[in-house]
Amino acid sequence: MMMGLARPLDTAAPAPATPASEARAHPPTTPLPVLTALRFFAAFYVLVFHYDRFFFPDATRNTVILLGHTGVTFFFILSGFILAYTYHAVDLGDRLARRRYLWARFARVYPAFLLSLAISLPWFAAWVLKTAPPLKWAMASGAVLAPLGLHAWVPGAACSLNCASWSISVEVFFYLLFPLLLPLVLRRPTEYALAALGLWAVFGAFCTMLWNRYAPGVSLIEPEPAGTVAVLLAQGIKYNPLLRLPEFIAGLVLFAGWQWMRRPASANGVPPRGRAGPFLAAAALAALVLVLIEPYVPAPLMHNGLTVLAWAPLVLAGADLRGGFLASAPLVFLGRISFALYLLHMPAYAVVNTVDRALHGAISGVSPWLAAGAATLLALVAASLVHLLVEEPARRLLLRATFAPRLPALFSRSATPGIRPSASPGRR
């Protein structure tokens, strides 16, 4: 079983916020509404990837849907980009600034994350009880490791308690490294781009060698039929935070490049326009190529970052766009609930599947499309409610409880040229 957002994983583009305490974490930032909206499409792509397998197990796989798991790569890149955009003017070498940054990350991620784990407990317990050792014990450890954000490091635990939550564990690792990586990448983006590419190539070659040696001919996405060794190895390859680090670094490098491209506009203060079209064309071309070559590319390479080729220009296009359909209020709202949607789409499937079994197939017996539609609707409604009633209120409450002196002393670097701060602080 695959996946899990990064944030959406908390990759929300900055947006206005009300609590004054949030202003202490970072200076004001201009909202990027299109990037927020794109988060919904990435989260929904992951949902379609999973539901295609859950509700249509015998159907022929479509390559476009097969690559739905790479929506998480989009979130990892976007996480690096947005964090850099939000904190590039903050001196994270300052201890108090780091504490505020980490507290803001906790407030953003943990309320919905812990709720999703709690909702998933009944199915987790049933799954562990019917699994044979030694996989049983690895899975059971997820009850302790998942709330701590450590489960992605342990194959077997990574996908046991709400499988999608593995990516939150990866994001926790990224968040801890971010204060160290940001100044380094901003000073030497070319070198770190090459370093990320080199790491990705080494990791990919190593994982491909392991997979071909111990699970030849087995699907990396669905390794369960091949037994425990294949399942554990697949989880180690897909979910290990260190192996996904190049994707996050790519997001930091992408921000540095975007910042550099905007500098010519700093003389007159007018941001450059007209680049979104070429970026969208590049993303579409890269996506087409990836779909065509997917059957011939080693699965670890495709799963763990090759789709950066398509996602990176899409992020750049979204960062440059300020209006249009993708910036409309309904899509921005869907983007805001994408984190909860990502976390809750698998529990929503579990609920529908449980009800369907209790009714002796009364839902799926009519049509698997009815069951898939019911799960999708449930996931969307639950995500909206969790966002409005849990995620945002809890975040505001936690941020009001934060510590901090005032803003000015914390911001040592100048803001991005050509980016005019909004009147109200960003949400991150």
Side-chain angles (χ1 to χ4, degrees):
M1 306 253 300
M2 257 296 305
M3 284 311 69
L5 201 319
R7 212 168 162 119
L9 311 163
D10 189 36
T11 53
T18 51
S21 59
E22 292 187 54
R24 301 179 188 132
H26 55 77
T29 51
T30 301
L32 303 176
V34 173
L35 285 182
T36 300
L38 288 175
R39 286 173 44 218
F40 168 74
F41 292 102
F44 198 77
Y45 196 19
V46 175
L47 178 150
V48 170
F49 167 78
H50 282 136
Y51 284 9
D52 178 58
R53 280 170 166 67
F54 297 163
F55 294 108
F56 308 94
D58 300 321
T60 302
R61 300 301 172 211
N62 178 285
T63 303
V64 174
I65 294 177
L66 183 67
L67 290 174
H69 61 80
T70 69
V72 176
T73 292
F74 172 83
F75 288 122
F76 289 160
I77 299 168
L78 187 59
S79 182
F81 184 94
I82 289 296
L83 285 175
Y85 173 65
T86 304
Y87 287 95
H88 73 277
V90 178
D91 179 12
L92 291 174
D94 179 270
R95 184 179 178 183
L96 285 175
R98 280 198 310 277
R99 290 175 67 187
R100 290 189 200 95
Y101 152 74
L102 290 171
W103 186 251
R105 299 302 87 227
F106 178 86
R108 165 66 69 191
V109 169
Y110 259 77
F113 171 52
L114 291 179
L115 178 61
S116 78
L117 297 183
I119 292 171
S120 302
L121 279 173
W123 294 279
F124 165 77
W127 193 14
V128 169
L129 288 174
K130 70 181 182 182
T131 302
L135 185 56
K136 175 194 289 282
W137 312 124
M139 291 174 58
S141 69
V144 175
L145 296 174
L148 298 175
L150 298 173
H151 51 312
W153 294 96
V154 181
C159 195
S160 60
L161 181 53
N162 188 9
C163 185
S165 72
W166 71 267
S167 62
I168 308 305
S169 179
V170 175
E171 285 280 353
V172 168
F173 176 61
F174 294 164
Y175 291 161
L176 293 175
L177 289 182
F178 175 72
L180 173 66
L181 288 173
L182 179 64
L184 298 175
V185 172
L186 292 183
R187 280 198 297 267
R188 307 176 73 177
T190 302
E191 289 87 340
Y192 277 88
L194 294 173
L197 180 62
L199 273 179
W200 174 79
V202 170
F203 289 161
F206 178 69
C207 291
T208 299
M209 180 187 68
L210 281 179
W211 190 247
N212 290 340
R213 172 67 179 84
Y214 294 103
V218 177
S219 168
L220 182 70
I221 304 302
E222 296 178 304
E224 290 80 7
T228 300
V229 172
V231 169
L232 294 177
L233 181 57
Q235 290 195 19
I237 290 172
K238 294 188 292 186
Y239 307 143
N240 183 277
L242 184 61
L243 299 181
R244 308 309 296 263
L245 182 60
E247 295 157 76
F248 181 70
I249 296 175
L252 301 178
V253 171
L254 201 62
F255 170 77
W258 182 72
Q259 187 183 41
W260 177 81
M261 286 186 288
R262 296 177 69 90
R263 277 187 178 143
S266 61
N268 56 23
V270 179
R273 302 293 182 187
R275 286 197 304 257
F279 286 143
L280 288 172
L285 178 60
L288 176 61
V289 171
L290 289 166
V291 168
L292 293 175
I293 67 173
E294 189 277 335
Y296 311 104
V297 176
L301 297 180
M302 187 65 78
H303 188 280
N304 288 12
L306 185 59
T307 53
V308 165
L309 296 173
W311 295 127
L314 183 63
V315 169
L316 291 174
D320 273 351
L321 289 169
R322 291 292 189 274
F325 173 69
L326 287 174
S328 63
L331 282 180
V332 170
F333 175 76
L334 288 174
R336 295 199 187 289
I337 70 167
S338 62
F339 184 47
L341 176 65
Y342 174 79
L343 287 173
L344 295 174
H345 78 277
M346 295 186 80
Y349 157 74
V351 168
V352 170
N353 185 55
T354 300
V355 171
D356 186 48
R357 290 190 177 192
L359 297 176
H360 306 290
I363 303 175
S364 61
V366 175
S367 169
W369 287 101
L370 179 61
T376 301
L377 180 61
L378 177 61
L380 287 168
V381 171
S384 300
L385 293 174
V386 167
H387 174 73
L388 294 172
L389 303 179
V390 177
E391 186 181 358
E392 280 300 292
R395 180 182 65 87
R396 290 193 293 266
L397 180 64
L398 289 169
L399 288 175
R400 279 198 295 269
T402 196
F403 30 77
R406 299 315 304 175
L407 202 74
L410 301 177
F411 310 132
S412 62
R413 290 185 290 276
S414 61
T416 303
I419 299 177
R420 295 187 296 275
S422 58
S424 56
R427 298 179 63 195
R428 298 187 67 80

